[in-house]
Amino acid sequence: MSDPQVIDLEALRRRCSQCSLQQLCLPAGVSAQDLDQLDSMVRRRKTVGAAERLFRAGDNFAAVYVAREGAFKTVCISSEGEEQIVGFHIPGEIIGLDAMGEGRHRCEAIALTKANVCEVPFAQLTEIAARVPGLQRQLLRVIGKDINRAHEHTSNLAARRGAHERLALFLHGLLQRYRLVNGKASSTFKLPMSREDIARYLGMANETVSRAFARLQTDRVIVIAGRRVDVLDEDLLTQAAHPVDEIDRATPRTAS
Amino acid sequence: MSDPQVIDLEALRRRCSQCSLQQLCLPAGVSAQDLDQLDSMVRRRKTVGAAERLFRAGDNFAAVYVAREGAFKTVCISSEGEEQIVGFHIPGEIIGLDAMGEGRHRCEAIALTKANVCEVPFAQLTEIAARVPGLQRQLLRVIGKDINRAHEHTSNLAARRGAHERLALFLHGLLQRYRLVNGKASSTFKLPMSREDIARYLGMANETVSRAFARLQTDRVIVIAGRRVDVLDEDLLTQAAHPVDEIDRATPRTAS
DNA sequence: CGGAGACTTGAAAGCCTTCAAGACGTGTGG
DNA sequence: CCACACGTCTTGAAGGCTTTCAAGTCTCCG
């Protein structure tokens, strides 16, 4: 660890230009020289332990974070103190946009595992974004993707479907997101969150999550062992997520 | 309508600087002279009839819209063709951010009533925002508020509550939003959307929405007559939305 | 090795959904 | 101006899925 060469590699890896997440993150589409500006601003490589918080509800909006390793959950505390999980964040995804509206955080971000993040001071980010068109575009794109993920989750919750269908859709989405990071077509991954977290995210009881996992397994869609998920058949997973509406195909009436 | 004086008034009202929604919209916090730039860009006062669309899923991302009068719903069509309502939009609220991520719309925006909107070409908006710091800040703030509304909705869906509690929370939120527009503390408003729309927004059957309305009425929380809502007691509405957890207050144990 | 938390599984109860029919309300045409 | 028709909304009853309570197993960490 104290080998100077290792340290150099570390230093190199810290740079946005060397980051494996570059294409998912703010640098995408930013020219090499502009990247230096972004680079110099990022307070990089903040490491947090499991269950640590990046920020709390009510905190001033100082920075956004991008997960580099590990995973996070975003928890909104309602006026009555009940906690709702509104999002999970894996490497390459942005955290902290909930503060853009009011200038102060409305949720808190909690590490699900040991993790590290890039901390990006928001004032500086927007200032540079104003001067670097590519960065401004990319910032808005990253925000847009965050909105899209939120919409997908909302759709999953509002669609009146069974528990195992919701879980299937959740797992399907997670698989796609992990593939963006890994770059390969792996069909196995480890859940960073507990059943309880999944339950509060999907709006059901944790016992129901367990039963839904069990059902997906007996249906030969996945193999589940603790937090290890192995997707046996991705098409089956997609089908499990979107039950075919018998009625649509059972009506052989031609357009009259 | 053809009276020249009326036309002048119309022309004046079109200006951002004269718009009653100024404080809710992009101009907030932008200096008077910078406002002219924003003003000149906005293709103002596009009028649409009920059930008309501002854009469809798959459309290129050309512009964002701000509702001026009337109301809209944003509908996401899943791969299987089932439609989920992910948002409602009343005057002062922005529409179309779902396209920021991919450069093309993933939802469609449908007018619930006769309505009119300000159409703001997005490329020009960001270009001017890069030059006008106040506008950039406000743009991000408006986006942030949109994210916050989405989070609140997600929380409402994920919280495992009864149907009438969800509906109460929905009505409470709508009341607050209408107050921002009206400026006054009115406790009555007209729902722009059908029971069916509410049902698909809240993830329940439309019959359940009807029963939930009925229950809120028998509980003396609201009076509901068709689409007319009268909130009798706002505190009651809040309580109906967040059922008190008996356990918390029923445990008289002092901190041991 | 022990303990605490996470996870699973079973059984009864409750709430929502579904199917069905009727009431209401609005807009159109006579 | 009234009648009719259509869609929206309401209300009832049976059934299903999830929740809840409970007990037991597993797993990780000290």
Side-chain angles (χ1 to χ4, degrees):
Chain A
M1 283 296 189
S2 54
D3 182 336
Q5 196 168 7
V6 172
I7 290 177
D8 284 340
L9 281 172
E10 280 300 316
L12 194 63
R13 261 211 294 273
R14 289 185 182 187
R15 309 214 53 179
C16 287
S17 57
Q18 297 302 318
C19 180
S20 63
L21 297 172
Q22 199 193 121
Q23 286 309 312
L24 297 175
C25 187
L26 269 352
V30 176
S31 72
Q33 63 212 42
D34 289 334
L35 208 51
D36 286 339
Q37 291 193 55
L38 179 60
D39 225 31
S40 64
M41 166 189 60
V42 177
R43 289 206 288 274
R44 253 164 287 106
R45 228 164 174 274
K46 189 171 183 171
T47 300
V48 298
E52 263 185 65
R53 286 166 175 74
L54 290 177
F55 50 80
R56 292 184 144 75
D59 281 0
N60 250 337
F61 185 25
V64 294
Y65 302 82
V66 178
R68 274 169 57 95
E69 295 178 62
F72 293 83
K73 62 180 172 184
T74 300
V75 178
C76 277
I77 290 96
S78 79
S79 31
E80 270 66 32
E82 57 180 318
E83 304 185 349
Q84 291 305 324
I85 298 181
V86 298
F88 292 118
H89 311 273
I90 67 172
E93 296 175 351
I94 197 166
I95 305 170
L97 295 179
D98 61 294
M100 272 197 331
E102 313 280 352
R104 101 188 18 255
H105 286 283
R106 300 172 49 123
C107 307
E108 44 188 68
I110 305 176
L112 292 166
T113 62
K114 194 161 68 160
N116 74 65
V117 296
C118 291
E119 185 183 40
V120 187
F122 194 68
Q124 291 177 53
L125 177 60
T126 54
E127 193 235 320
I128 297 181
R131 285 188 280 110
V132 180
L135 181 57
Q136 191 199 34
R137 265 195 303 277
Q138 182 59 13
L139 173 60
L140 292 171
R141 206 176 304 147
V142 166
I143 294 173
K145 286 181 192 294
D146 194 69
I147 293 176
N148 288 155
R149 272 192 300 273
H151 275 184
E152 271 170 32
H153 181 211
T154 301
S155 294
N156 190 11
L157 289 177
R160 295 186 286 107
R161 282 193 284 244
H164 70 280
E165 287 151 4
R166 273 195 204 163
L167 182 63
L169 196 50
F170 170 67
L171 293 175
H172 182 80
L174 213 48
L175 178 61
Q176 306 305 327
R177 284 156 71 186
Y178 271 118
R179 283 186 178 161
L180 285 181
V181 181
N182 298 330
K184 48 185 181 240
S186 163
S187 62
T188 171
F189 59 95
K190 185 168 180 294
L191 295 167
M193 72 293 282
S194 69
R195 302 289 194 267
E196 173 97 37
D197 283 337
I198 297 175
R200 286 193 309 181
Y201 182 69
L202 294 180
M204 51 206 212
N206 49 24
E207 295 95 328
T208 308
V209 174
S210 269
R211 282 185 255 263
F213 271 122
R215 166 145 184 200
L216 288 176
Q217 184 158 236
T218 53
D219 287 354
R220 310 288 171 129
V221 180
I222 62 170
V223 171
I224 178 83
R227 295 192 177 181
R228 187 100 239 146
V229 177
D230 193 353
V231 177
L232 295 179
D233 184 334
E234 202 177 332
D235 292 337
L236 266 182
L237 186 62
T238 308
Q239 283 175 39
H242 307 285
V244 228
D245 219 338
E246 310 289 351
I247 299 162
D248 285 341
R249 47 170 49 183
T251 40
R253 304 173 197 156
T254 52
S256 57
Chain B
M1 282 297 190
S2 52
D3 182 336
Q5 196 167 7
V6 172
I7 289 176
D8 284 340
L9 280 174
E10 281 300 315
L12 195 63
R13 260 210 296 272
R14 289 184 183 186
R15 310 215 54 181
C16 288
S17 57
Q18 297 302 317
C19 180
S20 62
L21 297 171
Q22 200 194 120
Q23 286 309 312
L24 297 175
C25 188
L26 270 351
V30 175
S31 71
Q33 64 214 40
D34 290 333
L35 209 51
D36 286 339
Q37 292 194 54
L38 180 60
D39 225 32
S40 64
M41 169 188 58
V42 178
R43 289 206 288 275
R44 252 165 286 106
R45 228 166 173 273
K46 188 170 182 170
T47 301
V48 298
E52 264 185 64
R53 287 165 173 77
L54 290 177
F55 50 80
R56 293 183 143 76
D59 281 0
N60 251 336
F61 185 27
V64 293
Y65 302 83
V66 177
R68 277 168 56 95
E69 296 177 63
F72 293 83
K73 61 180 172 184
T74 299
V75 178
C76 277
I77 290 96
S78 80
S79 31
E80 270 64 34
E82 56 181 317
E83 303 185 351
Q84 292 304 325
I85 298 181
V86 296
F88 293 117
H89 312 272
I90 66 172
E93 296 175 351
I94 196 165
I95 306 169
L97 297 179
D98 62 294
M100 270 197 332
E102 312 280 352
R104 103 187 16 257
H105 287 283
R106 300 171 49 121
C107 308
E108 43 187 69
I110 305 176
L112 292 165
T113 61
K114 194 162 66 161
N116 73 66
V117 296
C118 291
E119 184 183 41
V120 188
F122 194 68
Q124 291 177 53
L125 176 60
T126 55
E127 191 233 322
I128 297 181
R131 284 188 279 112
V132 180
L135 180 57
Q136 194 199 33
R137 265 195 303 278
Q138 181 59 11
L139 173 60
L140 292 171
R141 205 176 302 145
V142 166
I143 294 173
K145 286 181 191 295
D146 194 68
I147 293 176
N148 289 155
R149 273 192 298 275
H151 276 185
E152 272 169 32
H153 180 212
T154 301
S155 294
N156 188 13
L157 289 177
R160 295 187 287 107
R161 281 193 285 244
H164 69 281
E165 287 150 4
R166 275 196 203 163
L167 182 63
L169 196 51
F170 170 68
L171 293 175
H172 182 81
L174 214 47
L175 178 61
Q176 306 305 328
R177 285 156 70 187
Y178 272 118
R179 280 185 180 162
L180 285 181
V181 182
N182 299 331
K184 49 184 181 240
S186 162
S187 63
T188 171
F189 60 93
K190 187 169 178 293
L191 295 168
M193 73 293 282
S194 69
R195 301 288 193 269
E196 172 97 35
D197 283 336
I198 297 175
R200 286 193 309 180
Y201 182 69
L202 295 180
M204 50 207 215
N206 49 23
E207 294 95 327
T208 308
V209 174
S210 269
R211 283 185 254 262
F213 270 122
R215 167 146 183 199
L216 288 177
Q217 184 158 236
T218 52
D219 287 354
R220 309 289 171 132
V221 180
I222 62 171
V223 171
I224 177 82
R227 297 192 176 180
R228 187 98 239 147
V229 177
D230 193 351
V231 177
L232 294 178
D233 184 335
E234 202 175 332
D235 292 338
L236 266 183
L237 186 61
T238 308
Q239 284 175 39
H242 307 285
V244 228
D245 220 338
E246 311 287 353
I247 299 162
D248 285 341
R249 47 168 53 181
T251 41
R253 305 172 195 154
T254 53
S256 57

